[in-house]
Amino acid sequence: MLLAMRIRGLLTSFVFRKTLTLSNACRQTFSMGQIVNTMSIDCSRFQEAIPFLYVMISSPIQISLSLYLLYQQLGASAFAGLVLLLLFLPVNGILMGKIKMYQAQQMKSKDIRIKLMNEILNGIKVIKLYAWEESLQKKINEIRNKEISLLRKAAYVTSISTFLSTITPFMVTFVTFATYTLSSTSHPLTAQKAFVSLSLFNILRAPIELVPLFMSQTMQLTVAMKRLNICLNSPDLSSDYVKYVTRSDFAIAVKDGTFSWNVENEDSFILKE
């Protein structure tokens, strides 16, 4: 958690410094809303996801040990539960892909909404003067309703994933015991085998329930990393444009300066020399 907090602080600092040196062309594509979201929400995803990294290491070990001990208790019947467990994994993968898609769309809507709110607050005098409050309020509500719709869809998918992860241990237990007892008449389900197996299944339940949560955090982190990557790799203002001289006769001096609104577009208005 301490590492996650440090990474978040580091990334926030990086994004803040990057916004001060963005080129004019990038400033047209990066809205204030997008910058605020990148600094606050996308950087926070690292703080939320990194503490779950231990699940990636501990879950396979716990699952492997539990299945090995179950094999010693129930023989090959333990693999029937493993097959069911493996069948649930691609379903969870599809659900996590949906969550990732909704997350990306929701962040785009949030960028637009914060940009609009920033413009409204900056021009509040004009808005009040022309009585544009209702039309702008309607526009913000439309964007917000779209956000809520995406959040609701993501919540539905998350609840399905949570439901599947909750019933998986019970289904695995049921299938394993059913296979063990029905595979042969010489396989009585004694109290010793039943209680030891149930204890192992309980150990197996914790990592299975944590895996979907880890996958959800990973999907959110992937979206955040993509957005941060675009921001931090955007072109900067050239350092050659400004020269710092400690002693000079002038406070500001421009010599043979060429000024353009957009360097990439040659047809844009340019002041030469």
Side-chain angles (χ1 to χ4, degrees), residues 64-136:
S64 302
L65 284 172
S66 301
L67 287 170
Y68 172 71
L69 294 170
L70 277 168
Y71 177 74
Q72 288 186 328
Q73 288 291 321
L74 304 172
S77 303
F79 293 109
L82 178 63
V83 170
L84 184 66
L85 192 64
L86 292 173
L87 287 172
F88 277 116
L89 289 178
V91 177
N92 262 326
I94 293 166
L95 293 174
M96 290 306 114
K98 287 279 187 187
I99 290 171
K100 181 183 176 181
M101 182 183 70
Y102 293 142
Q103 179 75 19
Q105 290 175 358
Q106 188 239 332
M107 289 303 293
K108 282 182 183 177
S109 295
K110 190 173 281 188
D111 289 343
I112 295 165
R113 180 170 57 83
I114 292 178
K115 179 189 175 185
L116 185 60
M117 282 299 300
N118 188 61
E119 289 173 355
I120 288 169
L121 292 170
N122 286 335
I124 195 69
K125 277 187 180 180
V126 178
I127 291 164
K128 296 297 285 184
L129 184 64
Y130 288 98
W132 288 339
E133 297 98 323
E134 287 188 13
S135 59
L136 287 168

Side-chain angles (χ1 to χ4, degrees), residues 133-147:
E133 297 98 323
E134 287 188 13
S135 59
L136 287 168
Q137 185 181 353
K138 187 180 177 183
K139 192 169 184 179
I140 290 168
N141 284 334
E142 283 175 5
I143 299 167
R144 183 61 184 153
N145 288 334
K146 187 180 177 182
E147 271 187 73

Side-chain angles (χ1 to χ4, degrees), residues 142-158:
E142 283 175 5
I143 299 167
R144 183 61 184 153
N145 288 334
K146 187 180 177 182
E147 271 187 73
I148 291 168
S149 174
L150 290 166
L151 284 168
R152 189 181 288 113
K153 287 177 183 176
Y156 287 150
V157 176
T158 306

Side-chain angles (χ1 to χ4, degrees), residues 16-243:
F16 179 76
R17 278 189 286 174
K18 184 70 180 181
T19 55
L20 300 177
T21 60
L22 280 172
S23 65
N24 286 330
C26 285
R27 287 185 187 279
Q28 294 175 40
T29 56
F30 277 96
S31 65
M32 182 58 68
Q34 195 169 345
I35 291 168
V36 170
N37 275 335
T38 304
M39 286 180 68
S40 58
I41 296 168
D42 292 328
C43 293
S44 298
R45 297 297 183 205
F46 285 82
Q47 191 174 359
E48 294 166 6
I50 287 171
F52 280 95
L53 287 177
Y54 77 94
V55 176
M56 189 172 65
I57 302 165
S58 64
S59 290
I61 296 169
Q62 283 183 292
I63 291 168
S64 302
L65 284 172
S66 301
L67 287 170
Y68 172 71
L69 294 170
L70 277 168
Y71 177 74
Q72 288 186 328
Q73 288 291 321
L74 304 172
S77 303
F79 293 109
L82 178 63
V83 170
L84 184 66
L85 192 64
L86 292 173
L87 287 172
F88 277 116
L89 289 178
V91 177
N92 262 326
I94 293 166
L95 293 174
M96 290 306 114
K98 287 279 187 187
I99 290 171
K100 181 183 176 181
M101 182 183 70
Y102 293 142
Q103 179 75 19
Q105 290 175 358
Q106 188 239 332
M107 289 303 293
K108 282 182 183 177
S109 295
K110 190 173 281 188
D111 289 343
I112 295 165
R113 180 170 57 83
I114 292 178
K115 179 189 175 185
L116 185 60
M117 282 299 300
N118 188 61
E119 289 173 355
I120 288 169
L121 292 170
N122 286 335
I124 195 69
K125 277 187 180 180
V126 178
I127 291 164
K128 296 297 285 184
L129 184 64
Y130 288 98
W132 288 339
E133 297 98 323
E134 287 188 13
S135 59
L136 287 168
Q137 185 181 353
K138 187 180 177 183
K139 192 169 184 179
I140 290 168
N141 284 334
E142 283 175 5
I143 299 167
R144 183 61 184 153
N145 288 334
K146 187 180 177 182
E147 271 187 73
I148 291 168
S149 174
L150 290 166
L151 284 168
R152 189 181 288 113
K153 287 177 183 176
Y156 287 150
V157 176
T158 306
S159 63
I160 293 167
S161 176
T162 306
F163 172 72
L164 287 174
S165 66
T166 305
I167 66 164
T168 299
F170 298 104
M171 293 298 293
V172 168
T173 307
F174 173 74
V175 169
T176 305
F177 282 158
T179 307
Y180 179 74
T181 53
L182 296 173
S183 60
S184 175
T185 53
S186 61
H187 286 170
L189 191 63
T190 61
Q192 181 189 351
K193 282 189 180 293
F195 283 112
V196 171
S197 299
L198 283 171
S199 298
L200 291 169
F201 278 124
N202 283 332
I203 294 169
L204 191 64
R205 182 186 299 176
I208 292 172
E209 288 178 351
L210 281 172
V211 165
L213 192 59
F214 168 71
M215 288 173 70
S216 174
Q217 293 287 348
T218 306
M219 290 302 169
Q220 291 181 2
L221 184 62
T222 307
V223 174
M225 283 176 71
K226 197 176 288 184
R227 287 164 59 87
L228 278 164
N229 187 36
I230 293 167
C231 176
L232 294 175
N233 285 310
S234 299
D236 290 327
L237 290 167
S238 176
S239 57
D240 299 332
Y241 291 166
V242 181
K243 193 176 289 182

